[in-house]
Amino acid sequence: MDYLGQLLANGLVLGAIYALAAVAFTLVYGVVRLVNFAFGELFMLGAFLTASLMLPEVRLIGMVVPMPGFSLPVAAAGAILLTGALGVLVDRIAYRPLRNAPRLAPLITSIAVSVVLQSLAQTVWGAEELRFPEFHLATLPPVVLFDSIYLSVMDLVVMATALAAMLGLSAFIARSSLGRAMRASAEDQMAATLVGIPVNRVVAAAFAIGSGFAALAGLLYAQTYGFAHSSMGFLPGLKALTAAVLGGIGSIPGAALGGLILGLVEALGSGYLPNGTAWKDAISFVLLVGLLYLRPQGLLGKPELNSAGRGSLLGGASEFGAGWLRAAFAKVDGGLARAAAAGPRAALALLAVAILVGLLVPSDYWLRILTMVVIYGMLASGLNVIVGFAGLLDLGFVAFWAVGSYLTSILFVLVLKDQFGVAPADIWWLLYLNLPLAGLLAAGFAVILGTPTLRLRGDYLAIMTLGFGEIVRVVAINWMDLTNGPMGIRGIPAPNLFGIALGSPRAQFFFALALAVLVVFAIARLVRSYVGRAWVAIREDEEAAEAMGVPTARYKLYAYAASGFVGGFVGVFYAHTQQYISPLNFSLFENILLLMLVVLGGLGTFIGPFIGALIWIVFLQLALDLPFVQAYPETRFALLGIVLIVLMVFRPQGLAASARVALTMPGTRPAKAKEAA
Amino acid sequence: MSAPSPAPLLEARAITVRFGGLEAVGNLDMAIARNAIHGLIGPNGAGKTTVLNVLTGFISPTEGQLVFDGAEIGGLGVNGFARRGLARTFQNIRLFGAMTVLESVLVGAHQRFSANALSLVFARRSARAAERAMIARAYELLEFVGLGADVADRVATTLSYGHQRRVEIARALISSPKLLLLDEPLAGMNAVEKAEIADLVRQVRAQGIAVLLIEHDMQVVRRLCDHLTVLEYGRKLADGPPEQVLADPAVQAAYLGRAR
Ligand SMILES: Nc1ncnc2c1ncn2[C@@H]1O[C@H](COP(=O)(O)OP(=O)(O)O)[C@@H](O)[C@H]1O
Ligand SMILES: [Mg+2]
């Protein structure tokens, strides 16, 4: 009973923090129908700003900067104001131009914003934890309830603050005219616009308040755990989003309820389940996934929020941007479109260039980098099937990649070598068996994961797939017997063909290239058929596709399967080139990175993923020659994020908007038609 | 009143559709004969599109039953309706963005393809033959709806409004449906185009495909349709041959009411 009481008390503290952050998601979603993934990072900034304002001095970008050394309440107020202002600024720059764009554009933008903010925070405050200064209330002895439940004074302060903030917000929304306008917008945006509510002001207010709440939640969280860190916002951000969805996104009482439930479930789960603390993150995500499956509108929400506007993925031409910028984009676009139109001949030419490069590049270092380009290009191609062709934003793709990598590593190292003492060189052929096997396994996995998502669209689909990806990662970390946990698996043999080791960087490059030819060829053949036409039809207008007799649910699953197959297939090779894998290789960030590469190069094209991978990975290396980047390597990720935001705002259709791929089988057009074309 | 001659192609029995408190269609009985051009008319907001949505599975009626070609249909999912032989166009054109005319039309032929993934990846002869046959059929249909082969490779959404309508009709016809449902296909067209489309509808019927046509132009309706159903406020106001229905004072009142 005492144990239960203590768990409940801990759960309430955690729940109060989740609830505060959930309000941020819910408030903004209610007004602009945007899942602002960046709230996790605003949460983190709230913690950093508060800690910095409380200290006498901090190191920022390596320089010691004097700070006012405020007490916690003053510092917190300052941090909340600053974060609120930042939230409004982000909205103004990154989201407002996309108000009428299709859903995917703002969603990708918000992911990019979070990458930018996190990388910048790491640049400014460093990769190390910043210890949260002690507040004098925290030094008081804990309060003991019922003789056995210990609550620190700060825990009580956290709960009281959360309660006060929630009540204050409720009063604001009920009483003030701005609050009423907000509620009206949340209930019915069309009607709100019609009755003349100043939408931009309401949205700015929602961002200001939401960001303030996120900052408050972040600083309370950091205060509770004693430190601030640049990646601290990620998991709590996802959990707050879970809480918001649980309560019914858009509903403020729902966010409070969802936060509390999630906090309690997590506390009880980690207390009572075997090895519960290790699995507690999985608990929230299982809850999230189950919830979206059974009741996507959440506890207090309305069902209509799962609808997504139809139309193309990222929208037509943007009306923003200077003439020269548009002209530059048009030029790139034209070039890529011509390249795409040139078809197989261009592909062969490109392959010839790749082979030449592979033969002529002298440095092993650059060969390794080019191998990574090909691997990431292949992975991005797999993601492109589901996102670019079928139009389903999948944030759980890394799971399929992980399945392939783990399958081959477990078989080669943990089973055959460690259990049976078989030398990898003796069973070199197993790699070639594992490639299709892992593909099939990952495809099956993808179908299983895809099935419950079939009813979901847009944001909810993204959140659910993200939940799946995280579950797989948590399993990889915690299922020690199967995966070696966080230690990872070492000593995965390099590829080998008939006893000839293919360990040299040049051999690996050509191996990767051969696989890439297979992958692109297979994807292209599927896309250039009735299957690809069904996928694109689903992407463009799901209902109309159904009306044309396309069983859209089945074809979505085919897209998942194809995408999963590529993930698993490439994952096998990835493990053998890296020779070491751990759960860190398969984080959500990798998924986001792949998504960015596809968007950068052109969604729904065959070459786009490789262009994106080439630009990114080569840039990643070249930038390392700059001294500033050497000191602050994360600035590269910030730059990638900024490029993506710019792309979304000024060029939502991607670099290669006109480079559409043909969707009929090659060589099946009547001769007459070819002349006309 | 309507003669219960040979079994109708499609029979809607006591269909009611409610959206929250609003009854968009109330207790509607309707039968579409084989080989008919059946007009569905009524003032704006009368529930015509809703009926078409029910007949194509887009909306499950709150109450009622659908019998198509001798079998009850319902709970099939929209694609199931399409597979049974119900093909439609949309009041607001819904072509697939980023697809060429040829590709858009081929999507309508989806159910005719059956090659598995391996056949596609290896471009087996059978898969190529099926593709070739459907492409040839698509070209025939483009000609049939009055579009030249030269538009086949244009992105469909860049065509003129009238041409987009024709692409939509070709996309619906390539599945060889038994019933073609057209939601205001003449809207926004000039007299010449209207006559062309009306002619096209007759040719469709001549191929043994029944047509359900939603239309406002009474001149066209009178000349084109064999049978009319008139809706007002979701209820059936009249039903029968055009001459008789259009002479009905209640129908005239409904249309005068609309003009008010
Ligand atoms: N999905 C829907 N939700 C709520 N009301 C609808 C919906 N679809 C149609 N309605 C309403 O049903 C009535 C009939 O609409 P509709 O069938 O489009 O009429 P028509 O095609 O005859 O002009 C209208 O009042 C319309 O507002
Ligand atoms: Mg209508």
Side-chain angles (χ1 to χ4, degrees), chain A residues 310 525 529-531 533 537 540-541 543 546-551 555 660 663-665 667-669 673 677, chain B residues 58 78-79 82-83 94 96-99 102-103 106 110 113-115 120-121 123 128 131-132 135 139 153 171:
Chain A
R310 50 177 215 267
R525 278 285 169 84
S529 78
Y530 75 101
V531 176
R533 292 193 291 267
E540 296 294 327
D541 188 338
E543 276 190 329
E546 273 274 330
M548 297 305 121
V550 177
Y555 278 79
R660 53 172 311 286
L663 299 171
T664 48
M665 287 177 85
T668 52
R669 306 288 300 276
Chain B
F58 270 63
V78 175
N79 81 75
R83 281 159 182 270
R94 286 170 81 165
F96 304 112
M99 275 197 194
L102 177 66
E103 291 159 4
L106 285 174
H110 183 85
F113 291 97
S114 59
L120 293 176
V121 169
R128 270 181 294 141
E131 182 95 343
R132 226 179 256 127
I135 288 177
Y139 274 103
D153 291 315
R171 183 179 72 172

Side-chain angles (χ1 to χ4, degrees), chain A residues 576-639:
Chain A
H576 288 275
T577 46
Q578 294 294 297
Q579 308 194 350
Y580 166 64
I581 57 166
S582 84
L584 281 181
N585 294 91
F586 311 105
S587 64
L588 175 64
F589 182 77
E590 290 295 321
N591 204 98
I592 290 174
L593 185 62
L594 289 175
L595 178 66
M596 293 193 170
L597 301 187
V598 188
V599 174
L600 188 65
L603 281 160
T605 61
F606 297 134
I607 193 69
F610 290 90
I611 294 180
L614 183 70
I615 295 176
W616 169 241
I617 291 177
V618 170
F619 162 78
L620 209 55
Q621 295 306 319
L622 290 180
L624 274 184
D625 289 341
L626 304 174
F628 179 76
V629 175
Q630 272 168 9
Y632 304 101
E634 312 75 33
T635 46
R636 296 172 300 170
F637 293 92
L639 189 67

Side-chain angles (χ1 to χ4, degrees), chain A residues 25 35-43 90 95 110-111 113-114 117:
Chain A
F25 283 104
V35 173
N36 180 19
F37 281 101
F39 276 133
E41 274 55 48
L42 294 171
F43 174 100
V90 165
Y95 301 144
S110 89
I111 292 173
V113 169
S114 65
L117 291 179

Side-chain angles (χ1 to χ4, degrees), chain B residues 122-217:
Chain B
F122 295 112
R124 291 236 177 88
R125 190 190 299 272
S126 59
R128 270 181 294 141
E131 182 95 343
R132 226 179 256 127
M134 277 303 138
I135 288 177
R137 177 91 185 105
Y139 274 103
E140 276 170 33
L141 278 168
L142 284 179
E143 204 178 310
F144 179 71
V145 299
L147 294 172
D150 54 318
V151 302
D153 291 315
R154 298 263 307 274
V155 170
T157 46
T158 61
L159 298 184
S160 72
Y161 180 79
H163 283 190
Q164 290 194 34
R165 283 247 173 255
R166 290 168 199 256
V167 175
E168 247 199 344
I169 294 173
R171 183 179 72 172
L173 283 175
I174 197 171
S175 62
S176 304
K178 292 175 182 142
L179 175 61
L180 177 68
L181 302 98
L182 303 172
D183 198 347
E184 304 198 15
L186 307 184
M189 292 191 166
N190 63 33
V192 179
E193 284 177 311
K194 279 187 179 179
E196 283 173 9
I197 300 282
D199 208 44
L200 179 61
V201 170
R202 278 192 205 95
Q203 287 176 43
V204 169
R205 191 256 304 271
Q207 301 197 344
I209 300 170
V211 178
L212 178 76
L213 177 74
I214 298 181
E215 185 42 51
H216 282 303
D217 185 329

Side-chain angles (χ1 to χ4, degrees), chain B residues 2-60:
Chain B
S2 57
S5 44
L9 176 62
L10 176 68
E11 207 177 342
R13 292 181 190 150
I15 300 287
T16 297
V17 177
R18 282 191 207 95
F19 295 116
L22 175 84
E23 188 183 84
V25 178
N27 197 27
L28 175 73
D29 287 309
M30 192 173 142
I32 300 173
R34 286 171 200 279
N35 212 17
I37 299 178
H38 190 125
L40 182 59
I41 64 174
N44 273 327
K48 305 181 295 295
T49 298
T50 305
V51 169
L52 195 147
N53 280 340
V54 168
L55 299 183
T56 49
F58 270 63
I59 295 177
S60 301

Side-chain angles (χ1 to χ4, degrees), chain A residues 243-267:
Chain A
V245 173
L246 178 63
I249 198 157
S251 150
I252 290 171
L257 184 67
L260 282 184
I261 292 179
L262 194 65
L264 288 172
V265 166
E266 223 174 70

